Amino acid sequence: GAAAAALAAGVDRALSDLTRASRLGGEPHAARALAWRGFVLLKLGAPKRAARDIQAALRRLPREGVFRAWLAQARAAAGDESAARAEFSRALKAPSAAFLDAYLARAGLNERAGRWEEARDDFETALLVDAKSRAARTGLERAERARCAGK
């Protein structure tokens, strides 16, 4: 209905603004606008388009770990879990509270792939970042049980 149309118009306007900013802004602002456009596309369910934008931003700002985490999420959403794991690994070179979700997401990918040691390591690192993380604690317990069971 009308609400959906208004939301779609707002999203289109936001994407248009980010596109314009990525073309007109000086660095590093243009690269950041491009990465944010990729993030919006990812959330809208267009992971391949998102990955292209985020990769372009990373060519200009290769040390932006958050952008790497977004690229990893886009790779995972597009079904390329191997590339997603590699990007998460690049993004997670330095533990940071900003990366808690990335550690948990990569641990989930490792769990699905049966990589229990790697999942366990990610859950442990997530607990170093946030000792109160219930998701990290329960994930660590799951990975430990699976590892001990020899799965």
Side-chain angles (χ1 to χ4, degrees), residues 27-52:
E27 294 303 335
H29 305 294
R32 289 195 173 107
L34 196 55
W36 274 104
R37 186 176 75 177
F39 180 77
V40 170
L41 289 167
L42 174 62
K43 294 305 177 184
L44 289 173
K48 289 181 181 179
R49 287 178 58 204
R52 283 192 298 269

PDB file of all heavy atoms in Angstrom, residues 27-52:
ATOM      1  N   GLU A  27      37.917  12.148  -1.185  1.00  0.00           N
ATOM      2  CA  GLU A  27      38.287  11.006  -0.351  1.00  0.00           C
ATOM      3  C   GLU A  27      38.565  11.508   1.059  1.00  0.00           C
ATOM      4  O   GLU A  27      39.066  12.605   1.217  1.00  0.00           O
ATOM      5  CB  GLU A  27      39.511  10.296  -0.925  1.00  0.00           C
ATOM      6  CG  GLU A  27      39.256   9.651  -2.270  1.00  0.00           C
ATOM      7  CD  GLU A  27      38.116   8.640  -2.290  1.00  0.00           C
ATOM      8  OE1 GLU A  27      37.792   8.065  -1.239  1.00  0.00           O
ATOM      9  OE2 GLU A  27      37.527   8.449  -3.344  1.00  0.00           O
ATOM     10  N   PRO A  28      38.248  10.746   2.079  1.00  0.00           N
ATOM     11  CA  PRO A  28      37.699   9.392   2.079  1.00  0.00           C
ATOM     12  C   PRO A  28      36.169   9.342   2.038  1.00  0.00           C
ATOM     13  O   PRO A  28      35.587   8.277   2.029  1.00  0.00           O
ATOM     14  CB  PRO A  28      38.198   8.825   3.412  1.00  0.00           C
ATOM     15  CG  PRO A  28      38.182  10.015   4.324  1.00  0.00           C
ATOM     16  CD  PRO A  28      38.586  11.190   3.452  1.00  0.00           C
ATOM     17  N   HIS A  29      35.534  10.508   1.958  1.00  0.00           N
ATOM     18  CA  HIS A  29      34.075  10.549   2.040  1.00  0.00           C
ATOM     19  C   HIS A  29      33.395   9.804   0.897  1.00  0.00           C
ATOM     20  O   HIS A  29      32.390   9.133   1.097  1.00  0.00           O
ATOM     21  CB  HIS A  29      33.583  11.998   2.125  1.00  0.00           C
ATOM     22  CG  HIS A  29      34.219  12.749   3.248  1.00  0.00           C
ATOM     23  ND1 HIS A  29      33.994  12.420   4.567  1.00  0.00           N
ATOM     24  CD2 HIS A  29      35.098  13.782   3.243  1.00  0.00           C
ATOM     25  CE1 HIS A  29      34.699  13.224   5.345  1.00  0.00           C
ATOM     26  NE2 HIS A  29      35.375  14.057   4.568  1.00  0.00           N
ATOM     27  N   ALA A  30      33.934   9.908  -0.302  1.00  0.00           N
ATOM     28  CA  ALA A  30      33.328   9.234  -1.454  1.00  0.00           C
ATOM     29  C   ALA A  30      33.372   7.719  -1.268  1.00  0.00           C
ATOM     30  O   ALA A  30      32.391   7.018  -1.544  1.00  0.00           O
ATOM     31  CB  ALA A  30      34.039   9.642  -2.743  1.00  0.00           C
ATOM     32  N   ALA A  31      34.491   7.217  -0.786  1.00  0.00           N
ATOM     33  CA  ALA A  31      34.611   5.773  -0.564  1.00  0.00           C
ATOM     34  C   ALA A  31      33.654   5.311   0.536  1.00  0.00           C
ATOM     35  O   ALA A  31      33.034   4.246   0.429  1.00  0.00           O
ATOM     36  CB  ALA A  31      36.048   5.406  -0.202  1.00  0.00           C
ATOM     37  N   ARG A  32      33.515   6.117   1.561  1.00  0.00           N
ATOM     38  CA  ARG A  32      32.587   5.756   2.648  1.00  0.00           C
ATOM     39  C   ARG A  32      31.139   5.738   2.146  1.00  0.00           C
ATOM     40  O   ARG A  32      30.368   4.861   2.510  1.00  0.00           O
ATOM     41  CB  ARG A  32      32.766   6.702   3.823  1.00  0.00           C
ATOM     42  CG  ARG A  32      34.069   6.460   4.544  1.00  0.00           C
ATOM     43  CD  ARG A  32      34.114   7.131   5.907  1.00  0.00           C
ATOM     44  NE  ARG A  32      35.320   6.723   6.584  1.00  0.00           N
ATOM     45  CZ  ARG A  32      36.370   7.511   6.770  1.00  0.00           C
ATOM     46  NH1 ARG A  32      36.354   8.762   6.350  1.00  0.00           N
ATOM     47  NH2 ARG A  32      37.445   7.064   7.387  1.00  0.00           N
ATOM     48  N   ALA A  33      30.786   6.706   1.308  1.00  0.00           N
ATOM     49  CA  ALA A  33      29.430   6.732   0.749  1.00  0.00           C
ATOM     50  C   ALA A  33      29.177   5.484  -0.097  1.00  0.00           C
ATOM     51  O   ALA A  33      28.103   4.879  -0.042  1.00  0.00           O
ATOM     52  CB  ALA A  33      29.219   7.993  -0.086  1.00  0.00           C
ATOM     53  N   LEU A  34      30.185   5.074  -0.846  1.00  0.00           N
ATOM     54  CA  LEU A  34      30.068   3.874  -1.672  1.00  0.00           C
ATOM     55  C   LEU A  34      29.887   2.635  -0.800  1.00  0.00           C
ATOM     56  O   LEU A  34      29.052   1.773  -1.086  1.00  0.00           O
ATOM     57  CB  LEU A  34      31.323   3.746  -2.548  1.00  0.00           C
ATOM     58  CG  LEU A  34      31.282   2.802  -3.728  1.00  0.00           C
ATOM     59  CD1 LEU A  34      30.120   3.119  -4.655  1.00  0.00           C
ATOM     60  CD2 LEU A  34      32.602   2.895  -4.484  1.00  0.00           C
ATOM     61  N   ALA A  35      30.644   2.547   0.274  1.00  0.00           N
ATOM     62  CA  ALA A  35      30.509   1.400   1.184  1.00  0.00           C
ATOM     63  C   ALA A  35      29.126   1.388   1.839  1.00  0.00           C
ATOM     64  O   ALA A  35      28.495   0.331   1.953  1.00  0.00           O
ATOM     65  CB  ALA A  35      31.598   1.444   2.247  1.00  0.00           C
ATOM     66  N   TRP A  36      28.658   2.554   2.247  1.00  0.00           N
ATOM     67  CA  TRP A  36      27.326   2.618   2.862  1.00  0.00           C
ATOM     68  C   TRP A  36      26.241   2.243   1.851  1.00  0.00           C
ATOM     69  O   TRP A  36      25.259   1.590   2.210  1.00  0.00           O
ATOM     70  CB  TRP A  36      27.075   4.004   3.459  1.00  0.00           C
ATOM     71  CG  TRP A  36      27.608   4.099   4.854  1.00  0.00           C
ATOM     72  CD1 TRP A  36      28.745   4.720   5.259  1.00  0.00           C
ATOM     73  CD2 TRP A  36      27.031   3.520   6.019  1.00  0.00           C
ATOM     74  NE1 TRP A  36      28.906   4.557   6.605  1.00  0.00           N
ATOM     75  CE2 TRP A  36      27.868   3.832   7.103  1.00  0.00           C
ATOM     76  CE3 TRP A  36      25.887   2.771   6.259  1.00  0.00           C
ATOM     77  CZ2 TRP A  36      27.603   3.426   8.404  1.00  0.00           C
ATOM     78  CZ3 TRP A  36      25.616   2.361   7.552  1.00  0.00           C
ATOM     79  CH2 TRP A  36      26.462   2.680   8.615  1.00  0.00           C
ATOM     80  N   ARG A  37      26.420   2.644   0.598  1.00  0.00           N
ATOM     81  CA  ARG A  37      25.448   2.225  -0.418  1.00  0.00           C
ATOM     82  C   ARG A  37      25.456   0.703  -0.522  1.00  0.00           C
ATOM     83  O   ARG A  37      24.404   0.068  -0.610  1.00  0.00           O
ATOM     84  CB  ARG A  37      25.767   2.868  -1.768  1.00  0.00           C
ATOM     85  CG  ARG A  37      24.678   2.577  -2.812  1.00  0.00           C
ATOM     86  CD  ARG A  37      24.933   3.272  -4.103  1.00  0.00           C
ATOM     87  NE  ARG A  37      25.997   2.583  -4.818  1.00  0.00           N
ATOM     88  CZ  ARG A  37      26.430   2.912  -6.015  1.00  0.00           C
ATOM     89  NH1 ARG A  37      25.902   3.956  -6.638  1.00  0.00           N
ATOM     90  NH2 ARG A  37      27.388   2.246  -6.604  1.00  0.00           N
ATOM     91  N   GLY A  38      26.637   0.097  -0.485  1.00  0.00           N
ATOM     92  CA  GLY A  38      26.733  -1.357  -0.496  1.00  0.00           C
ATOM     93  C   GLY A  38      26.034  -1.979   0.703  1.00  0.00           C
ATOM     94  O   GLY A  38      25.335  -2.988   0.577  1.00  0.00           O
ATOM     95  N   PHE A  39      26.200  -1.374   1.861  1.00  0.00           N
ATOM     96  CA  PHE A  39      25.543  -1.877   3.072  1.00  0.00           C
ATOM     97  C   PHE A  39      24.023  -1.836   2.927  1.00  0.00           C
ATOM     98  O   PHE A  39      23.340  -2.794   3.275  1.00  0.00           O
ATOM     99  CB  PHE A  39      26.003  -1.060   4.289  1.00  0.00           C
ATOM    100  CG  PHE A  39      25.381  -1.511   5.575  1.00  0.00           C
ATOM    101  CD1 PHE A  39      25.836  -2.652   6.211  1.00  0.00           C
ATOM    102  CD2 PHE A  39      24.359  -0.786   6.156  1.00  0.00           C
ATOM    103  CE1 PHE A  39      25.271  -3.078   7.414  1.00  0.00           C
ATOM    104  CE2 PHE A  39      23.782  -1.193   7.348  1.00  0.00           C
ATOM    105  CZ  PHE A  39      24.240  -2.343   7.979  1.00  0.00           C
ATOM    106  N   VAL A  40      23.513  -0.726   2.395  1.00  0.00           N
ATOM    107  CA  VAL A  40      22.056  -0.614   2.179  1.00  0.00           C
ATOM    108  C   VAL A  40      21.596  -1.687   1.192  1.00  0.00           C
ATOM    109  O   VAL A  40      20.581  -2.356   1.418  1.00  0.00           O
ATOM    110  CB  VAL A  40      21.673   0.805   1.686  1.00  0.00           C
ATOM    111  CG1 VAL A  40      20.224   0.856   1.225  1.00  0.00           C
ATOM    112  CG2 VAL A  40      21.926   1.832   2.786  1.00  0.00           C
ATOM    113  N   LEU A  41      22.340  -1.876   0.110  1.00  0.00           N
ATOM    114  CA  LEU A  41      21.976  -2.916  -0.869  1.00  0.00           C
ATOM    115  C   LEU A  41      21.997  -4.304  -0.235  1.00  0.00           C
ATOM    116  O   LEU A  41      21.133  -5.137  -0.517  1.00  0.00           O
ATOM    117  CB  LEU A  41      22.922  -2.863  -2.072  1.00  0.00           C
ATOM    118  CG  LEU A  41      22.743  -1.654  -2.985  1.00  0.00           C
ATOM    119  CD1 LEU A  41      23.928  -1.528  -3.943  1.00  0.00           C
ATOM    120  CD2 LEU A  41      21.424  -1.747  -3.749  1.00  0.00           C
ATOM    121  N   LEU A  42      22.966  -4.545   0.633  1.00  0.00           N
ATOM    122  CA  LEU A  42      23.025  -5.826   1.343  1.00  0.00           C
ATOM    123  C   LEU A  42      21.756  -6.037   2.161  1.00  0.00           C
ATOM    124  O   LEU A  42      21.134  -7.104   2.102  1.00  0.00           O
ATOM    125  CB  LEU A  42      24.260  -5.858   2.246  1.00  0.00           C
ATOM    126  CG  LEU A  42      24.398  -7.062   3.178  1.00  0.00           C
ATOM    127  CD1 LEU A  42      24.505  -8.356   2.390  1.00  0.00           C
ATOM    128  CD2 LEU A  42      25.610  -6.871   4.080  1.00  0.00           C
ATOM    129  N   LYS A  43      21.366  -5.020   2.895  1.00  0.00           N
ATOM    130  CA  LYS A  43      20.166  -5.123   3.742  1.00  0.00           C
ATOM    131  C   LYS A  43      18.889  -5.245   2.904  1.00  0.00           C
ATOM    132  O   LYS A  43      17.895  -5.789   3.363  1.00  0.00           O
ATOM    133  CB  LYS A  43      20.066  -3.928   4.695  1.00  0.00           C
ATOM    134  CG  LYS A  43      21.183  -3.886   5.716  1.00  0.00           C
ATOM    135  CD  LYS A  43      21.266  -5.184   6.488  1.00  0.00           C
ATOM    136  CE  LYS A  43      22.404  -5.205   7.464  1.00  0.00           C
ATOM    137  NZ  LYS A  43      22.556  -6.490   8.150  1.00  0.00           N
ATOM    138  N   LEU A  44      18.942  -4.761   1.656  1.00  0.00           N
ATOM    139  CA  LEU A  44      17.782  -4.859   0.763  1.00  0.00           C
ATOM    140  C   LEU A  44      17.749  -6.199   0.018  1.00  0.00           C
ATOM    141  O   LEU A  44      16.856  -6.438  -0.786  1.00  0.00           O
ATOM    142  CB  LEU A  44      17.788  -3.712  -0.251  1.00  0.00           C
ATOM    143  CG  LEU A  44      17.483  -2.337   0.319  1.00  0.00           C
ATOM    144  CD1 LEU A  44      17.685  -1.264  -0.753  1.00  0.00           C
ATOM    145  CD2 LEU A  44      16.065  -2.284   0.870  1.00  0.00           C
ATOM    146  N   GLY A  45      18.748  -7.061   0.274  1.00  0.00           N
ATOM    147  CA  GLY A  45      18.747  -8.383  -0.345  1.00  0.00           C
ATOM    148  C   GLY A  45      19.425  -8.451  -1.699  1.00  0.00           C
ATOM    149  O   GLY A  45      19.115  -9.324  -2.508  1.00  0.00           O
ATOM    150  N   ALA A  46      20.359  -7.542  -1.952  1.00  0.00           N
ATOM    151  CA  ALA A  46      21.113  -7.541  -3.211  1.00  0.00           C
ATOM    152  C   ALA A  46      22.600  -7.723  -2.901  1.00  0.00           C
ATOM    153  O   ALA A  46      23.406  -6.796  -3.096  1.00  0.00           O
ATOM    154  CB  ALA A  46      20.862  -6.246  -3.976  1.00  0.00           C
ATOM    155  N   PRO A  47      22.996  -8.904  -2.406  1.00  0.00           N
ATOM    156  CA  PRO A  47      24.377  -9.070  -1.925  1.00  0.00           C
ATOM    157  C   PRO A  47      25.446  -8.946  -3.001  1.00  0.00           C
ATOM    158  O   PRO A  47      26.549  -8.467  -2.714  1.00  0.00           O
ATOM    159  CB  PRO A  47      24.371 -10.466  -1.299  1.00  0.00           C
ATOM    160  CG  PRO A  47      23.253 -11.193  -1.958  1.00  0.00           C
ATOM    161  CD  PRO A  47      22.211 -10.127  -2.236  1.00  0.00           C
ATOM    162  N   LYS A  48      25.158  -9.337  -4.237  1.00  0.00           N
ATOM    163  CA  LYS A  48      26.185  -9.227  -5.278  1.00  0.00           C
ATOM    164  C   LYS A  48      26.451  -7.771  -5.640  1.00  0.00           C
ATOM    165  O   LYS A  48      27.604  -7.358  -5.797  1.00  0.00           O
ATOM    166  CB  LYS A  48      25.787 -10.040  -6.510  1.00  0.00           C
ATOM    167  CG  LYS A  48      25.871 -11.533  -6.241  1.00  0.00           C
ATOM    168  CD  LYS A  48      25.497 -12.340  -7.449  1.00  0.00           C
ATOM    169  CE  LYS A  48      25.571 -13.824  -7.084  1.00  0.00           C
ATOM    170  NZ  LYS A  48      25.198 -14.673  -8.207  1.00  0.00           N
ATOM    171  N   ARG A  49      25.390  -6.985  -5.763  1.00  0.00           N
ATOM    172  CA  ARG A  49      25.567  -5.547  -6.013  1.00  0.00           C
ATOM    173  C   ARG A  49      26.256  -4.893  -4.829  1.00  0.00           C
ATOM    174  O   ARG A  49      27.120  -4.028  -4.990  1.00  0.00           O
ATOM    175  CB  ARG A  49      24.222  -4.878  -6.279  1.00  0.00           C
ATOM    176  CG  ARG A  49      23.646  -5.220  -7.642  1.00  0.00           C
ATOM    177  CD  ARG A  49      22.284  -4.587  -7.872  1.00  0.00           C
ATOM    178  NE  ARG A  49      22.322  -3.123  -7.748  1.00  0.00           N
ATOM    179  CZ  ARG A  49      21.255  -2.390  -7.441  1.00  0.00           C
ATOM    180  NH1 ARG A  49      20.084  -2.957  -7.243  1.00  0.00           N
ATOM    181  NH2 ARG A  49      21.353  -1.085  -7.360  1.00  0.00           N
ATOM    182  N   ALA A  50      25.867  -5.307  -3.628  1.00  0.00           N
ATOM    183  CA  ALA A  50      26.485  -4.766  -2.414  1.00  0.00           C
ATOM    184  C   ALA A  50      27.983  -5.044  -2.420  1.00  0.00           C
ATOM    185  O   ALA A  50      28.793  -4.150  -2.137  1.00  0.00           O
ATOM    186  CB  ALA A  50      25.835  -5.387  -1.174  1.00  0.00           C
ATOM    187  N   ALA A  51      28.353  -6.276  -2.748  1.00  0.00           N
ATOM    188  CA  ALA A  51      29.775  -6.652  -2.746  1.00  0.00           C
ATOM    189  C   ALA A  51      30.571  -5.789  -3.718  1.00  0.00           C
ATOM    190  O   ALA A  51      31.694  -5.369  -3.402  1.00  0.00           O
ATOM    191  CB  ALA A  51      29.922  -8.132  -3.077  1.00  0.00           C
ATOM    192  N   ARG A  52      30.015  -5.500  -4.884  1.00  0.00           N
ATOM    193  CA  ARG A  52      30.731  -4.657  -5.862  1.00  0.00           C
ATOM    194  C   ARG A  52      31.022  -3.268  -5.285  1.00  0.00           C
ATOM    195  O   ARG A  52      32.136  -2.759  -5.409  1.00  0.00           O
ATOM    196  CB  ARG A  52      29.934  -4.546  -7.157  1.00  0.00           C
ATOM    197  CG  ARG A  52      30.034  -5.780  -8.037  1.00  0.00           C
ATOM    198  CD  ARG A  52      29.493  -5.534  -9.427  1.00  0.00           C
ATOM    199  NE  ARG A  52      28.078  -5.194  -9.448  1.00  0.00           N
ATOM    200  CZ  ARG A  52      27.087  -6.071  -9.567  1.00  0.00           C
ATOM    201  NH1 ARG A  52      27.350  -7.354  -9.689  1.00  0.00           N
ATOM    202  NH2 ARG A  52      25.837  -5.667  -9.585  1.00  0.00           N
TER     203      ARG A  52
END
